Amino acid sequence: LVATWAWVVRLVRAAEPKTMRGTVVSAIVATWATVLLSEPVVAQMERHTSVRDVDGSLSPCDFDRKIVIEAPASLHPSDKYYSTSKQMIASAELIVEQVNSQRCGINVAGKNMSIEFVSVADRSNTVGVIAITNSSIERGTADFLFAPYSSGLTADFAALAEGNKLAFAAGASSTPIFSDKTSVFGTLPKSSLYFGGAIELIVELGITSVSFLEEVGAPMCSGVRALAAQNNLTIISEVAIPAKSNVSAFDVAIADLKESAPGALFTCIYTENCITFIDGLRRANYTPPSLIMSACPGDPDLLAAAGRNLENILGVTPWDKSLKSTDALTSISALEYDAMLHTRIGSHAVYQGASAAGAISTMLQAIERAQSLDLADIIAEVHLGGFETVYGNINFDNENQRKEALVVVQYNADLELQVVWPAEQAQGAVVYPMPTWAFQDCAAAGNCSNAGQCQPDGTCVCNNDLQPNGYLCISVQEEDLQRSAGVKIVCLLMFSINLVIASGAITWTLANKKSTVVRASQPTFLVLIAFGAIVSSSTIVSLVYGDESDIDGLAYQGKYEPANVACRTMIITYTCGFVLTFAPLFAKLWRVHKVMAGSKTLRRIRVRSSFLFGIVGGLLLIDLVIVGTWISTSPLTYWRTVVNYDEHGLPIASSGSCSSTNDMPFILAIFLFHFSMLLYGVSLCYKTRNIDSVMSESKFVAVAMISNLQVLALATPVLVIVSGEPVASMFLRS
């Protein structure tokens, strides 16, 4: 209580209370933490010690002394900062173990000193950090200190460590933590300079305008405005979103950014929002010419969630495993460090882990350079800088923060980060402008089979005779349309023969209509029969007409109208031709039958030609009603149907045919009507069989009737059998 009162009085009396407020409040918390967490309680806190080969039992090293580095850390999976803390602690331990086992520790004033790294569970909270740090200082259990992750926890840690112990912070970038300190150093660059390298890069690319999306509370964008002004860049839009934004909020933000159309888009958001943001870009089909993200690139969670969508996205990072850097103490390269850490904890290194490895190595190098454990001597060496680590070359500015600029990285086609700036560290050229999402999908899925070029809209332009198929360029097999020019010629030849014969018959009949034989045969009906044969035969023309001229493939959708008209004409010509051919024969036979039947009763029977024409017209009307109803309710449509596909799903065989949604009732009606006509005609032939051929052509008509009846009865099942063979079916129907 006395200590708290003293600190309050000091705060009130301070000349600059604003600058002292953080220090005073931290001290008050530390005082109470010391009271509440007495020394025995702190001693019982979970401690994790890296002691592998510290005493030389596993190597021929002979150590003279042990140097202890103590660190508050989040050691439990339920801790807020567990994931990052795990990376940092494992990285620090890795460097310590390599120093102990490979070079027998460090040499100070002729003595070999082993290194012991101790991490103590702080549960990711301020009270734990303050209690552990205060205990380390007061009990003297540690020679040097190592800060926990996050700027918030590091601020309280640094306030206690200042002037008491040399301390390094690998997971904090807030400048106020370090600016008034002498013994606390940060290996993360200043947050205000996060985008310094990226700004230089986009200027080199000729970009003149930028926009940025900022998460409320994220410090990374704090220096963008000043950097943009220094480089004559125009900021055309600034969008702020809450730390935990929903999809709708991002959709609105992305719409604003898309409308502003900047040359480069900077985002200052953390992983959870990064995932939502990238998904939103996809939904909006918006691809900025250049997209530079701050805290997200390299995060395994982002890679797992966003996957292929990360390709070509730029990021700024203090470190990447591809950097050409080697640790001066252990001779481990950045790439080797990443592999060793992956073996150790099952995940690849992130920049916070590399920063921890660099911080530990820098601390040990400074101690060895100073050849002393004296705080002032070591601090003097730290300020000289030039420490080669897996984290890169480390130098500190006058505010005790690392002054090297962040590198710019870009996800490549293998979804690995590669350095694209600065030039001396670059592993490849930057991809600019960023390809459209459709182009990236094309390149990732098939890349046009490496035989063409993906286009911005995701289509392929293929080389040589290859054809585009989705994201591939393939050799397309010519489709078998199941057409036969030869068979069509034969069919049309048959029609021509019919046309010539029927036309000749009409001409002969008209030329000899006054002869006794022709008059007895009723020339009007003879002409009508021949004309019916022409109409019926013209069905062949409709049968052979297909979709040869359909260059747009409309027949595959049933929309090729010339073929549709041919289908409907076919049933009209067939039915009308049938009636016009056989109805006059029926009428003639019926008149002969009536006259001869009347002669048996000695009655005079007169059947006028007009009545017979009425019979023909009535039969024709029945056919037309059936056909008209069919066409109006369920018209025949020409469809080209694919019957076989290749391995790419492209058609290699198809057939065209006429069909409708409800054609069977009409087909049956026409079949039964025509079949009934033929049966009735055959019965009339039978009844008039004994009449002299001078008076009746019943024998000849009977031959025609029975012939057609046989064709109708036998051809129907044959047509069903060959229905799957369009060419054969067309030939038989003709």
Side-chain angles (χ1 to χ4, degrees):
L1 290 174
V2 172
T4 302
W5 175 253
W7 279 111
V8 171
V9 171
R10 184 176 177 184
L11 176 61
V12 172
R13 291 179 178 178
E16 296 179 344
K18 289 185 178 179
T19 59
M20 293 195 60
R21 186 175 301 157
T23 302
V24 173
V25 172
S26 296
I28 294 172
V29 174
T31 302
W32 277 102
T34 304
V35 174
L36 297 175
L37 296 172
S38 60
E39 186 172 314
V41 175
V42 173
Q44 293 174 22
M45 281 181 153
E46 182 178 344
R47 300 168 68 85
H48 179 71
T49 306
S50 175
V51 294
R52 301 181 192 180
D53 213 23
V54 169
D55 57 1
S57 59
L58 301 179
S59 73
C61 298
D62 183 15
F63 295 114
D64 299 303
R65 184 195 159 159
K66 177 169 65 177
I67 293 176
V68 178
I69 303 171
E70 197 159 277
S74 302
L75 302 181
H76 294 276
S78 59
D79 293 346
K80 180 179 180 180
Y81 302 125
Y82 171 74
S83 179
T84 306
S85 181
K86 178 182 178 181
Q87 275 262 345
M88 293 173 61
I89 296 304
S91 297
E93 290 178 348
L94 189 154
I95 296 298
V96 166
E97 290 171 9
Q98 289 295 312
V99 169
N100 285 335
S101 61
Q102 300 302 318
R103 67 189 311 273
C104 294
I106 61 174
N107 187 279
V108 180
K111 295 182 179 180
N112 278 349
M113 298 188 181
S114 64
I115 314 301
E116 181 179 68
F117 187 85
V118 180
S119 51
V120 187
D122 62 15
R123 303 314 297 261
S124 297
N125 65 62
T126 299
V127 172
V129 169
I130 291 175
I132 294 166
T133 307
N134 200 47
S135 175
S136 297
I137 295 171
E138 291 189 356
R139 294 169 60 207
T141 56
D143 298 294
F144 303 98
L145 299 178
F146 192 81
Y149 174 69
S150 88
S151 293
L153 296 182
T154 299
D156 297 312
F157 166 89
L160 295 174
E162 168 58 19
N164 293 308
K165 297 285 184 181
L166 176 67
F168 274 76
S173 61
S174 178
T175 299
I177 296 174
F178 309 99
S179 59
D180 61 345
K181 306 296 188 299
T182 59
S183 65
V184 183
F185 296 85
T187 50
L188 288 182
K190 293 177 178 178
S191 57
S192 61
L193 299 178
Y194 252 63
F195 287 115
I199 292 290
E200 289 190 38
L201 174 61
I202 66 171
V203 169
E204 292 175 8
L205 293 173
I207 296 172
T208 59
S209 63
V210 298
S211 294
F212 63 88
L213 176 72
E214 183 176 13
E215 184 176 309
V216 176
M220 295 83 73
C221 272
S222 59
V224 169
R225 297 169 183 83
L227 290 169
Q230 292 170 16
N231 290 274
N232 298 317
L233 295 172
T234 302
I235 298 178
I236 57 177
S237 64
E238 304 178 28
V239 180
I241 57 169
K244 292 185 178 180
S245 296
N246 56 29
V247 171
S248 299
F250 269 105
D251 287 344
V252 173
I254 291 169
D256 292 341
L257 293 168
K258 184 177 182 179
E259 185 177 358
S260 66
L265 173 59
F266 290 87
T267 66
C268 304
I269 53 181
Y270 292 105
T271 299
E272 184 176 350
N273 275 340
C274 282
I275 295 169
T276 308
F277 174 66
I278 293 173
D279 288 342
L281 290 177
R282 268 288 198 174
R283 286 193 303 276
N285 194 28
Y286 172 45
T287 311
S290 183
L291 175 58
I292 304 106
M293 310 188 84
S294 57
C296 304
D299 190 315
D301 293 336
L302 176 68
L303 180 60
R308 179 59 54 189
N309 292 339
L310 292 177
E311 187 177 352
N312 299 312
I313 289 179
L314 292 163
V316 290
T317 179
W319 177 86
D320 182 72
K321 66 181 180 180
S322 63
L323 285 175
K324 302 166 187 176
S325 55
T326 302
D327 186 74
L329 286 179
T330 63
S331 299
I332 297 173
S333 68
L335 198 60
E336 290 170 334
Y337 151 71
D338 174 72
M340 294 169 72
L341 187 67
H342 185 268
T343 300
R344 188 182 188 95
I345 63 174
S347 62
H348 289 284
V350 295
Y351 74 85
Q352 294 94 336
S355 177
I360 286 294
S361 181
T362 298
M363 178 187 289
L364 298 179
Q365 289 183 57
I367 295 170
E368 195 166 62
R369 284 188 194 179
Q371 287 295 294
S372 169
L373 297 181
D374 180 73
L375 181 60
D377 293 341
I378 300 172
I379 290 174
E381 288 295 331
V382 172
H383 281 296
L384 291 177
F387 300 99
E388 293 293 340
T389 72
V390 295
Y391 185 53
N393 187 278
I394 296 180
N395 296 276
F396 297 95
D397 59 19
N398 57 6
E399 292 181 302
N400 288 5
Q401 285 184 276
R402 188 186 181 194
K403 61 183 181 182
E404 281 76 24
L406 278 71
V407 297
V408 182
V409 293
Q410 188 171 42
Y411 282 100
N412 61 20
D414 296 324
L415 299 184
E416 293 181 347
L417 287 172
Q418 65 177 18
V419 177
V420 294
W421 189 93
E424 60 271 18
Q425 292 280 3
Q427 296 176 301
V430 63
V431 176
Y432 173 83
M434 182 176 170
T436 64
W437 295 116
F439 178 94
Q440 294 185 61
D441 289 342
C442 173
N447 197 30
C448 300
S449 305
N450 296 318
Q453 296 79 41
C454 291
Q455 302 301 300
D457 62 357
T459 60
C460 286
V461 173
C462 300
N463 302 333
N464 303 322
D465 296 328
L466 300 179
Q467 298 293 323
N469 180 39
Y471 299 137
L472 302 175
C473 287
I474 62 173
S475 178
V476 179
Q477 180 179 337
E478 186 175 355
E479 183 179 352
D480 178 9
L481 299 176
Q482 301 194 42
R483 300 170 180 152
S484 173
V487 172
K488 284 190 176 183
I489 291 174
V490 171
C491 293
L492 291 174
L493 181 61
M494 289 190 287
F495 166 68
S496 300
I497 293 172
N498 275 1
L499 179 63
V500 170
I501 294 174
S503 298
I506 292 173
T507 302
W508 185 88
T509 301
L510 293 176
N512 298 278
K513 62 182 179 180
K514 294 182 179 181
S515 68
T516 305
V517 175
V518 172
R519 289 179 62 192
S521 300
Q522 305 171 60
T524 303
F525 287 98
L526 291 178
V527 170
L528 197 57
I529 291 168
F531 178 72
I534 293 174
V535 173
S536 180
S537 297
S538 66
T539 304
I540 296 174
V541 178
S542 299
L543 278 173
V544 300
Y545 189 89
D547 56 346
E548 290 85 348
S549 301
D550 180 22
I551 59 175
D552 298 320
L554 297 175
Y556 290 95
Q557 308 168 47
K559 296 180 179 179
Y560 186 54
E561 285 307 315
N564 291 341
V565 171
C567 286
R568 294 155 199 170
T569 303
M570 177 177 62
I571 56 174
I572 295 174
T573 54
Y574 167 72
T575 54
C576 291
F578 183 89
V579 171
L580 291 174
T581 301
F582 289 99
L585 293 175
F586 300 154
K588 287 182 63 176
L589 287 174
W590 185 80
R591 179 160 61 178
V592 171
H593 171 66
K594 283 293 184 182
V595 170
M596 293 304 170
S599 65
K600 292 180 180 180
T601 58
L602 302 178
R603 288 187 301 120
R604 184 179 179 182
I605 302 296
R606 184 178 182 181
V607 180
R608 296 181 179 275
S609 295
S610 58
F611 181 78
L612 297 180
F613 281 119
I615 294 175
V616 174
L619 295 174
L620 183 61
L621 180 62
I622 294 173
D623 250 350
L624 289 176
V625 168
I626 297 173
V627 172
T629 305
W630 186 357
I631 292 175
S632 61
T633 59
S634 182
L636 282 175
T637 303
Y638 185 88
W639 287 92
R640 177 156 291 281
T641 305
V642 178
V643 296
N644 200 4
Y645 295 87
D646 64 8
E647 67 271 20
H648 302 292
L650 297 177
I652 57 175
S654 64
S655 63
S657 61
C658 299
S659 64
S660 69
T661 55
N662 189 32
D663 53 6
M664 191 52 64
F666 301 102
I667 293 174
L668 287 175
I670 292 172
F671 175 81
L672 292 175
F673 177 55
H674 288 184
F675 193 73
S676 300
M677 286 177 62
L678 288 174
L679 284 179
Y680 184 66
V682 170
S683 70
L684 287 177
C685 289
Y686 179 76
K687 291 177 181 179
T688 59
R689 67 187 183 281
N690 295 320
I691 300 175
D692 193 290
S693 60
V694 175
M695 302 297 298
S696 168
E697 308 93 343
S698 60
K699 293 180 180 178
F700 307 113
V701 173
V703 171
M705 292 284 185
I706 295 172
S707 174
N708 273 273
L709 189 62
Q710 288 177 331
V711 169
L712 192 63
L714 298 177
T716 300
V718 175
L719 284 172
V720 172
I721 293 171
V722 299
S723 60
E725 299 293 334
V727 176
S729 178
M730 179 178 66
F731 178 77
L732 284 175
R733 284 184 290 168
S734 298

